Amino acid sequence: MPIDFSSQHDPLASEEALQAHIDAALNSPVSFDRYMGRMYQVVDKVFRPTLLHGDRVPDRPCLFIGNHSLFALDGWVFAPTVFHELGRSVRALGDKFLFSNKALGDTLIDLGAVMGHPAVCEALMENGSDLLVFPGGAHEAVKSASEMYELQWKERYGFVRLAAKHGYTIMPFGMIGPDEFYDHWLESDEIPNSALGRLLKRFGLLDENTRTDMLPPIPRGSLGTLLPRPQRCYIGFGHPVDLADYAGKTPTKPQQRKIRDEVAGEIEAQLAELLRLREQRRREDSLLRRILTI
């Protein structure tokens, strides 16, 4: 059945609406065996994901934290791969706007995604769910090519406070590949002064108040199309950051900064290792894959 995008829905319109979303997130028949299994078949064929250091993931609920890729395509590779390789059903936290259409929101919930709201996170943590968060959010999802594989977390500590309050383990990971699914015809800051930008201004879709740091770049995929390049993907887990000692507490600002920096350091170490590994394995790619990733 096609999704009716004209049907708008605000999951934060009231306490009742937020609670309804939480109830749906907790009670939805998330069939990872069916959905993730099918998704992995596609992901494996196109992107050939490789997972490293899976033995570092502890046998307890985790908050998976990693670097975000262009257009937020990484979650579609990460969740099926982790399910297939480790048997972990990871629930991704998404932006509110993804759930503003009820039909689409319900579909995402069935696929395991939920709204990234503190109340939703707390409910799922109390339920002992594995969660996936990208602290870079929209800023990392629309970054320029020159900022590839750079963390852009600014002063965000919300994921640290939530994990600490529930004594969760933060599982840092690095991921390479999705940032290179697309090249950029135009970077975000180049759009306003381009022919496309002038056209958008003409139709009232762009003005002097538009934040260029939130504009997506104009993508160029495989062979100049909108299809993603079949870049091999690599996922590497750092060492877990166990916050059990903080359960029921709020870390001080210096403690939050120290935890955040530790998590960021683990992710950056994995990114460096994965980039080296990929270079060592370049020759394993088929001629067709090499052509399609030019």
Side-chain angles (χ1 to χ4, degrees):
M1 179 181 296
I3 294 174
D4 177 12
F5 285 96
S6 65
S7 174
Q8 296 301 306
H9 167 70
D10 185 356
L12 295 178
S14 64
E15 289 293 329
E16 290 76 14
L18 176 59
Q19 187 58 51
H21 181 88
I22 293 173
D23 291 342
L26 291 174
N27 301 321
S28 64
V30 183
S31 178
F32 279 89
D33 287 330
R34 185 175 62 205
Y35 292 125
M36 293 297 125
R38 290 176 181 173
M39 288 174 66
Y40 181 76
Q41 290 178 11
V42 177
V43 167
D44 182 49
K45 189 172 184 63
V46 179
F47 304 117
R48 295 294 185 194
T50 297
L51 190 147
L52 274 68
H53 310 309
D55 58 312
R56 292 177 177 173
V57 181
D59 188 21
R60 56 180 178 273
C62 292
L63 178 62
F64 291 85
I65 301 288
N67 58 297
H68 214 5
S69 74
L70 184 66
F71 302 134
L73 296 173
D74 33 29
W76 298 100
V77 177
F78 182 85
T81 302
V82 170
F83 174 78
H84 180 268
E85 296 288 341
L86 304 180
R88 303 291 287 255
S89 301
V90 181
R91 309 204 67 173
L93 303 179
D95 196 283
K96 169 195 166 185
F97 82 89
L98 295 171
F99 299 89
S100 59
N101 173 271
K102 192 174 188 310
L104 177 59
D106 290 346
T107 299
L108 290 173
I109 290 176
D110 283 341
L111 288 170
V114 296
M115 183 172 58
H117 186 280
V120 179
C121 297
E122 289 195 15
L124 289 171
M125 283 183 169
E126 290 170 3
N127 192 53
S129 301
D130 282 328
L131 302 178
L132 170 62
V133 175
F134 296 104
H139 288 281
E140 280 187 0
V142 297
K143 60 192 171 188
S144 68
S146 64
E147 297 169 317
M148 192 181 300
Y149 303 127
E150 290 184 10
L151 299 181
Q152 298 180 25
W153 290 4
K154 297 188 176 182
E155 292 298 311
R156 291 175 178 158
Y157 300 94
F159 73 94
V160 173
R161 291 192 294 269
L162 275 170
K165 179 178 179 180
H166 293 274
Y168 250 58
T169 295
I170 295 178
M171 195 63 237
F173 70 90
M175 185 172 181
I176 66 170
D179 257 346
E180 297 161 77
F181 288 172
Y182 292 96
D183 198 353
H184 305 173
W185 286 115
L186 283 174
E187 297 293 2
S188 303
D189 59 354
E190 297 173 337
I191 293 176
N193 297 322
S194 68
L196 174 62
R198 290 191 289 274
L199 183 63
L200 292 174
K201 289 176 183 177
R202 211 168 156 188
F203 285 96
L205 300 176
L206 198 66
D207 58 37
E208 63 277 2
N209 296 317
T210 302
R211 291 180 53 187
T212 58
D213 63 327
M214 296 302 290
L215 281 176
I218 305 303
R220 180 171 69 88
S222 182
L223 301 179
T225 70
L226 290 177
L227 294 174
R229 294 168 170 171
Q231 290 282 0
R232 282 183 178 269
C233 293
Y234 292 81
I235 301 168
F237 291 106
H239 294 92
V241 180
D242 187 353
L243 301 185
D245 290 344
Y246 289 97
K249 306 173 187 175
T250 299
T252 64
K253 269 291 185 182
Q255 288 173 327
Q256 292 179 38
R257 187 174 296 109
K258 181 179 179 182
I259 294 169
R260 190 195 69 164
D261 290 348
E262 181 181 356
V263 173
E266 290 288 336
I267 294 171
E268 289 168 344
Q270 286 307 302
L271 289 174
E273 179 181 349
L274 296 175
L275 288 169
R276 287 194 300 269
L277 177 63
R278 184 175 66 176
E279 285 306 308
Q280 294 168 3
R281 296 186 176 181
R282 283 285 189 190
R283 295 181 181 178
E284 298 177 10
D285 290 343
S286 67
L287 177 60
L288 178 60
R289 187 179 295 276
R290 294 180 192 180
I291 292 173
L292 294 176
T293 53
I294 293 175

